Amino acid sequence: MAKKKALPEVEVRNFVAKHMNDFNKSQTFVDRKKDAKRGYRKHKKGGYSNDYLPFLMAA
């Protein structure tokens, strides 16, 4: 009786599992509701003048 050849092991190519530790990191988020109660607004400064707005017609 002939000996059976050993099958080569199959390499699993799961790219998601391979790279998941590079991209799935914990994040720290800012509580927007608390900031709104404190009076914080994003992009508070600046604003546009009425000269910039082309659709606003001064009558």
Side-chain angles (χ1 to χ4, degrees), residues 8-9 16-18 20 28 35 48 50:
E9 291 189 28
V16 175
K18 182 178 179 182
M20 72 180 176
T28 304
D35 284 347
Y48 296 110
N50 289 337

Side-chain angles (χ1 to χ4, degrees), residues 4-57:
K4 291 184 178 179
K5 291 184 179 179
L7 295 175
E9 291 189 28
V10 178
E11 180 181 335
V12 178
R13 294 184 182 148
N14 188 349
F15 295 110
V16 175
K18 182 178 179 182
H19 297 286
M20 72 180 176
N21 293 330
D22 298 333
F23 294 100
N24 296 334
K25 302 287 183 181
S26 60
Q27 297 285 324
T28 304
F29 291 95
V30 176
D31 193 350
R32 294 179 191 161
K33 187 176 180 181
K34 281 185 184 178
D35 284 347
K37 285 184 178 181
R38 290 181 190 146
Y40 174 78
R41 279 192 293 161
K42 193 172 181 180
H43 305 296
K44 189 174 187 179
K45 296 179 183 176
Y48 296 110
S49 65
N50 289 337
D51 298 335
Y52 173 75
L53 302 173
F55 54 84
L56 183 65
M57 298 292 176

